[in-house]
Amino acid sequence: MARTKLYTRLLALAAAGALAAAVSDPRAFAAGKLAVMTATTDLAALAQEVGGDKVEVESVARGYQDPHFVEAKPSFLLKLRRADLLIVVGLELEIGWLPPLISQSTNPRIQVGAPGYFDASRYAKILEIPTGAVTRAEGDVHPQGNPHYWLNPENGLRIAKAIADKFTEMRPGDAAYFAARYAAFEQKLKQADQQWQAQMKPYAGRKIVTYHRSWPNFAEHFRLDVVGYVEPRPGIPPSPQHTVELIGQMKRDNIKVIVVEPYFDLKTPNAIARETGGQVVVLMPSVGGEKEITDYFKLFDYDISKLKQALDSTK
Ligand SMILES: [Zn+2]
């Protein structure tokens, strides 16, 4: 008797739950889309490329936020709670903000180590992996190698392939769809990259300075030489002594371009530019950093165009 009553109540609860899910997102429910959350917009852009209309993708971080220090809105908890897959940058990029969200979501599918937890860094070429012991106690926010690896189209392609494979594993019935989406993305990206390479060719070997170590993968791919940083170490704000040394180095080596990410204070970069006759250029490290950067292709279009202007006007 009691058992039947419990069973009836459970049925009612399950029906209510299904109804709530359908009401909160009728499209996703009806189409059985994979609910994908990503830590950053770049991963969302890549997931969207290969997932097409079989997935619903949203990023926790916004493209104009410093990905090391994101203040996530509590509304993301609900979205994480119902996610089938969570894609992260890894290498401790999100260590300051994502782990509490994951645990508070109480979603077993996306906990670290679960099948729905996907660390994109495992599929990318990682630069600046420390050889000695580096701890975050020294303030270095890149203790496992450089986490800004998506800024090389070759890594974008590797990540997209891995995500397509993951989608296929989760939805084997859509394998052909994901394979076709990936093939189209690969072709389009390789064509775009040929144009980007041609645009950057005249500047091969040019020395530049950047605020944070966001650009080693970008610089390697487009053959720029990053020789100094406004930050003394990744995550450590500029210090007067370091700034004086950097100005001296830039004057000695005739370095004129200072690349800054949109979320850093321009005071020190502007002062360095004044002292050296150089130029500050704000590049976007992520999709969505500016309204017009709506996908992975437009990210490189935007950055290369801005960078070319700066390199041209400081010859
Ligand atoms: Zn960083």
Side-chain angles (χ1 to χ4, degrees):
M1 184 75 179
R3 235 174 129 169
T4 315
K5 216 169 161 185
L6 179 65
Y7 182 65
T8 313
R9 277 188 64 188
L10 279 174
L11 266 184
L13 275 175
L19 187 66
V23 166
S24 67
D25 197 347
R27 245 171 356 123
F29 189 74
K33 292 186 187 202
L34 277 174
V36 181
M37 291 297 294
T38 65
T40 63
T41 53
D42 311 286
L43 297 174
L46 293 170
Q48 192 65 66
E49 291 285 350
V50 294
D53 55 16
K54 303 283 185 193
V55 300
E56 195 130 293
V57 187
E58 191 171 347
S59 166
V60 176
R62 297 283 162 238
Y64 47 79
Q65 291 178 311
D66 182 341
H68 289 287
F69 307 100
V70 173
E71 277 185 47
K73 287 184 286 184
S75 60
F76 280 111
L77 267 185
L78 284 171
K79 291 168 179 174
L80 287 166
R81 194 159 289 167
R82 66 174 200 93
D84 299 308
L85 182 67
L86 172 65
I87 306 176
V88 305
V89 173
L91 303 176
E92 298 196 5
L93 179 78
E94 304 101 338
I95 200 167
W97 54 276
L98 192 56
L101 286 179
I102 295 176
S103 61
Q104 283 164 39
S105 80
T106 64
N107 178 350
R109 294 186 295 278
I110 60 162
Q111 300 299 312
V112 179
Y117 179 89
F118 183 98
D119 181 346
S121 71
R122 291 177 47 215
Y123 307 94
K125 179 182 173 186
I126 305 302
L127 302 176
E128 301 177 351
I129 296 172
T131 44
V134 176
T135 68
R136 293 180 71 93
E138 294 157 1
D140 196 319
V141 293
H142 295 172
Q144 297 185 355
N146 194 291
H148 304 273
Y149 54 78
W150 65 87
L151 284 162
N152 176 337
E154 289 173 31
N155 271 343
L157 196 60
R158 288 188 188 105
I159 299 161
K161 177 75 171 74
I163 294 174
D165 289 346
K166 185 69 195 179
F167 287 166
T168 299
E169 176 196 311
M170 296 175 81
R171 290 287 159 85
D174 291 324
Y177 178 85
F178 296 131
R181 295 278 314 187
Y182 172 72
F185 175 68
E186 179 183 29
Q187 193 186 17
K188 191 177 162 196
L189 187 63
K190 284 184 171 169
Q191 276 169 5
D193 190 33
Q194 277 179 6
Q195 288 171 8
W196 295 328
Q197 299 264 18
Q199 285 175 292
M200 289 303 293
K201 201 174 170 198
Y203 314 99
R206 281 284 288 273
K207 290 180 172 149
I208 62 169
V209 161
T210 72
Y211 195 108
H212 180 75
R213 287 180 182 252
S214 305
W215 308 94
N217 297 81
F218 183 94
E220 183 185 67
H221 187 69
F222 294 112
R223 291 186 290 160
L224 294 168
D225 195 2
V226 183
V227 294
Y229 308 93
V230 177
E231 288 179 334
R233 302 175 73 102
I236 304 293
S239 67
Q241 191 204 337
H242 176 75
T243 301
V244 166
E245 285 168 11
L246 184 63
I247 289 169
Q249 181 193 2
M250 288 177 68
K251 283 180 171 169
R252 258 194 327 273
D253 295 347
N254 197 32
I255 300 162
K256 299 288 188 191
V257 170
I258 306 153
V259 171
V260 182
E261 298 79 352
Y263 32 77
F264 290 122
D265 189 347
L266 287 172
K267 206 177 91 195
T268 303
N270 283 340
I272 295 169
R274 275 197 303 275
E275 283 292 316
T276 58
Q279 196 180 110
V280 170
V281 57
V282 177
L283 297 188
M284 293 298 156
S286 283
V287 172
E290 283 282 358
K291 269 206 182 97
E292 65 192 271
I293 310 175
T294 50
D295 65 22
Y296 191 66
F297 296 91
K298 296 205 176 79
L299 177 62
F300 291 97
D301 287 344
Y302 181 95
D303 284 336
I304 287 170
S305 157
K306 291 277 292 264
L307 192 54
K308 274 169 65 75
Q309 283 170 26
L311 290 165
D312 280 338
S313 63
T314 54
K315 253 181 222 161

